[in-house]
Amino acid sequence: MEGPSGFGVNHCLQKLSDVEFLKFKELLSKETEEFKIKPIPWNKIEMASRTKLMTLLFTHCPGQVWDIVSSLFLQINRADLSIMAQELRRDKQSSYKEIMKTIFQYIWNVETFICMKDEIYQATIEMQYKALQEVFDCPLEPVTAVVLGSEAQGKTTFLRKAMLDWTSGKLWQNRFQYVFFISLISLNNVTELSLAELMLNPLCFLNWETQVYQKIYPLLRYPRDIIVTGFNDPFIKCYFTYFFKNTQKAVQVFNYLQSTNQLSVVRRSPFLCWMACSTLKWRLKRGEGMKSVGETDSSIYTNFMVSTFRSVYDNCPPNQNRARLKTLCTLAAEAMWKQVFVFTSEDLRRNGISESEKAVWLGMNFLQHRGDGFMFYHPLLQSYFAALFYFLRQERGTAHPIIRSLPQLLKEVYVHGQTQWLMTGAFVFGIATEKAAAMLKPLFGFIPSKEVEQEIFKCLRSLSQAECSEKLMNSQSLFESLHENEEERFETQVIDLFEEMTVDISNIDTLLSAAKILAKTQKLKKLHVHIQHNFFSEIYNPEDGIHSSCGIKTTMWSILCECVYNLQVLDLDCCNFNETTLKILCASMSPSSTYPLTAFKLQSLSCPFMTNFGDGALFHIFLQLPNLKSVNLYGSNLSNDMVENLCSVLKCTTCGVEELLLGKCDISSKACGMIATCLIYCKVKHLSLVENPLKNKGVMLLCEILKHRSCVLETLMLSRCCLNFIACGHLYEALLCNKYLSLLDLSSNVLKDTGVNILCEALKDPKCTLQELWLSGCFLTSDCCGGISAVLTSKKNLKTLKLGKNNIEDAGIKQLCEALRNPDCKLQCLGLDMNDFKTDCCEDLASALTTCKTLTSLNLDWITFDHDGLQLLCEALSHKSCNLKVLGLDKSALTEESKMLLQAVEMKEKLDILHCPWVKEERKRRGVRLVWNSTN
């Protein structure tokens, strides 16, 4: 290949359709005589792809490639490609940048449809363009520029413009020698490709979709966001003027859309704006005057499709139009299920699209050429036609081999989180309306909107039922789909199916849809809310792409908060509040004439990783609610003043909180003393202070209160609190005095054998009532197992003992197993996970399993067993005297032979063999929360 020339030839060949490419090959096989070049074997030409054919040309006829391809392009009636080839071959030594300039000038002129003058478009992207220009200014700083924006908002056009300007020397001048555009859509059907082959196809863009971006963002180093937004009103006016080529008509259209409240939808994306203009153009051409173009995406797409379709087939019978439309919808739906976006001519033929209809779809801008194939004019247009398929499908019993049923589609979107199909699901909701059916019926006949609506409802009802294994995972997607439906009756009917919802507020649209839908619910009991960082920022920051729209945000937030009084569980997960939104939240939980204090049903409130509690008023508001029993503030840093504020409310007689989860709140020893003091006056029975630097002093203060007769604490979680054996001395006295404490978690503290031996002395005392002791990761050895064994054989009330992540070894395991065989041992749950012991101990464990009548749960996770050792355990598990119900073990780490042994036992004995069996329960008890994501 002759350097950059190969890029140009390859680009020209990619513009040919399948039919044109075949004709090109046939002519090429005859052209060798005229150009007096070495013949190329037909079998090589026939089997060659476009890239391979380019290689053949440069191999067999170097120096004549441009002449040959220019001549052949003329012979197949592609004069445009012949002209492009002549421009590209001006100088065989042309630089890569010059070649790409010609290519992207063609893409900009022919394939990019902005419907406005370049200078106007440049003005619409001024802020983003400047950010892109500056992002790579420092050559020493590594950075990844990420272009973001909603679907159909103009990301592709923006990046094509950047590519064109780089080739012209206007952007990143002298910064990069090579810039490649890699089209994910064009590579949709490619299973394997080398980097060199990938770079031979620099035809399009890298499309950073929002959902994909969120997944890969942690992998990017030094990311910089550039957010592409929709049009504002001045640019919309310019757009209308350029589109209609008539200033008066443009003003008329703008005023009409503004007066009918349809302008807000058009503002959202250039593609919606183009469709609205196209719809009005056809209507005005037919003399119909101004009519609604739609107030939702679905209605705009439907109006556009109907108006455009009528421009060709208005006088055809509905049954013929329906058959024509169905071929296009089948292509779209089949491709959706196959996850394909670029089609061959054969794909079109297979779905019943004739050559004449293909030309019509291209003329209507339903389809467009993409290299040697075809794709829908926009991916969202494909989503729309795929949704429409479910309204034109055949009767039951004639299922398509690839396209699945509507319930299966809905589950992919709302259960399995297939976000690339989200708009298909939303369009189904939008078309299933009387309004949409009325638009479609004159041209295509009966549309079963009511039947589809009922099918949607039936599917969602199954997802809402407690016994259903598949649950609604994406509440926000459902909100957006219901917004497309616009029928209040149906919205209320659907939303009242669900008792639990999750809302991720990342932009105004998500807040609007959530507020609009949740305002209608009467059955909601559990609400999980996440507010992304900076969303409620009241300062306009162009770099962050945040727009000042505080009025709309606070209004919608107020509407959303109105449903709080009816909730039983409110989870404000990783929420970033400002003062205004915090006040609104407080107001929503304050009694009023409409909602007296007794009307509030809230039982559980979680505010993990909260960054702003304001002046502490939130504590005074929510802790007074009569039914509130549980509060979780995990990961929210609490100053000493804030802890004091919290404790003052907990002491109030009106406060009924029984579960207080304050893990990872940066609570000091001093603050721990404040919490301890309030335990005498409050009703708290479950306290978690995990992952706080309490140290021994903090535990000492807690123990003083535990000895007080007014303290009713039953469970105390102190894992990862910087404790050592000295803390065990304080706990010794508390365990002897306290009558209520039944669970003590001391995991992940450096207690060592000394500390545990102190605890064992307390546990053996008849006055100690403790039932569960968690000592995982406490740096224990076999030296403490004698004391632990003595406890097991002398205390009948100790039911759970967790000793995982220690170094107990064989000697310790043997002692523990001996205790388990003692008839006085009543232990039910034993954790030995992540302890290193040999196969010899398996015999002791097997004996213990068949002897101890009370042991029902044993954790042996992360321990490597050989097959012989595992066989011994399996024999014991199958023994009639073994009562074990749960075994912690990672089956995936075992050999196939060992897995088969365990599976046989599992089936026969109804035993649950689980990896990490207690993790979920332990996190719940400790109040530990992961940093927010939509599946938490």
Side-chain angles (χ1 to χ4, degrees), residues 11-25:
H11 178 73
C12 292
L13 291 176
Q14 295 288 347
K15 297 295 177 186
L16 298 175
S17 67
D18 287 348
V19 175
E20 290 169 338
F21 186 50
L22 181 59
K23 185 67 174 174
F24 184 94
K25 287 180 175 182

Side-chain angles (χ1 to χ4, degrees), residues 194 351 383 441 564 573 904:
S194 70
N351 283 286
S383 296
K441 186 176 180 181
V564 167
D573 206 336

Side-chain angles (χ1 to χ4, degrees), residues 344-374:
T344 64
S345 293
E346 176 55 33
D347 292 329
L348 272 60
R349 283 193 296 272
R350 190 183 66 255
N351 283 286
I353 298 175
S354 66
E355 286 294 319
S356 60
E357 285 177 344
K358 178 172 70 177
V360 172
W361 301 144
L362 289 166
M364 288 181 177
N365 289 322
F366 289 171
L367 295 178
Q368 63 171 321
H369 284 289
R370 175 53 62 95
D372 62 330
F374 304 88

Side-chain angles (χ1 to χ4, degrees), residues 20 44 59 155 159 172 244 376 527 616 752 898 904 919:
E20 290 169 338
K44 287 190 175 182
T59 302
K155 300 183 294 296
L159 291 172
W172 305 322
F244 291 104
F376 282 87
L527 179 61
K752 297 189 175 180
S898 296
V919 167

Side-chain angles (χ1 to χ4, degrees), residues 89 122 212 296 356 445 481 491 495 674 681 694 729 919:
R89 63 92 46 95
Q122 187 73 44
V212 175
T296 64
S356 60
S481 296
E491 288 178 352
I495 204 66
M674 298 177 198
Y681 307 98
L694 306 184
V919 167

Side-chain angles (χ1 to χ4, degrees), residues 83-96:
I83 293 169
M84 178 187 283
Q86 291 167 26
E87 290 175 352
L88 290 170
R89 63 92 46 95
R90 287 179 202 150
D91 182 357
K92 286 195 290 185
Q93 302 304 317
S94 292
S95 68
Y96 169 77

Side-chain angles (χ1 to χ4, degrees), residues 728-883:
C728 296
H730 301 305
L731 286 164
Y732 172 88
E733 296 180 15
L735 288 172
L736 297 181
C737 297
N738 189 284
K739 297 179 181 180
Y740 301 102
L741 197 68
S742 61
L743 189 160
L744 178 60
D745 174 20
L746 297 171
S747 300
S748 301
N749 288 297
V750 191
L751 305 184
K752 297 189 175 180
D753 297 330
T754 304
V756 171
N757 283 327
I758 293 171
L759 291 175
C760 287
E761 289 303 311
L763 290 170
K764 285 187 289 186
D765 194 288
K767 295 191 289 293
C768 179
T769 58
L770 201 69
Q771 296 180 21
E772 292 191 49
L773 181 60
W774 298 5
L775 297 171
S776 298
C778 289
F779 297 86
L780 309 182
T781 71
S782 57
D783 290 349
C784 68
C785 290
I788 293 173
S789 297
V791 171
L792 293 178
T793 55
S794 64
K795 289 290 291 185
K796 294 182 180 181
N797 55 318
L798 189 66
K799 300 295 189 293
T800 297
L801 179 63
K802 296 186 179 182
L803 299 171
K805 304 178 189 176
N806 286 300
N807 190 29
I808 290 176
E809 297 184 319
D810 294 21
I813 297 294
K814 288 180 180 293
Q815 289 182 76
L816 292 173
C817 288
E818 186 178 348
L820 287 171
R821 291 194 293 268
N822 190 304
D824 291 329
C825 177
K826 303 302 178 185
L827 198 68
Q828 298 174 0
C829 177
L830 175 62
L832 297 174
D833 46 302
M834 293 184 74
N835 278 286
D836 186 23
F837 53 85
K838 297 182 177 63
T839 302
D840 291 350
C841 288
C842 289
E843 190 173 342
D844 294 285
L845 279 170
S847 175
L849 286 171
T850 56
T851 308
C852 185
K853 304 295 184 183
T854 57
L855 193 66
T856 56
S857 184
L858 175 64
N859 193 354
L860 300 176
D861 228 340
W862 306 103
I863 299 173
T864 304
F865 293 101
D866 61 24
H867 186 70
D868 292 340
L870 199 63
Q871 193 163 18
L872 283 171
L873 287 177
C874 287
E875 288 173 3
L877 292 168
S878 300
H879 196 280
K880 62 181 181 180
S881 298
C882 179
N883 294 317

Side-chain angles (χ1 to χ4, degrees), residues 688-692 694 716-723 744-749 774 776 922 926 928:
S688 175
L689 296 171
V690 301
E691 302 176 54
N692 286 302
L694 306 184
L716 178 59
M717 320 303 288
L718 297 175
S719 65
R720 298 184 186 276
C721 287
C722 307
L723 311 180
L744 178 60
D745 174 20
L746 297 171
S747 300
S748 301
N749 288 297
W774 298 5
S776 298
E922 286 176 355
R926 291 168 176 156
V928 173

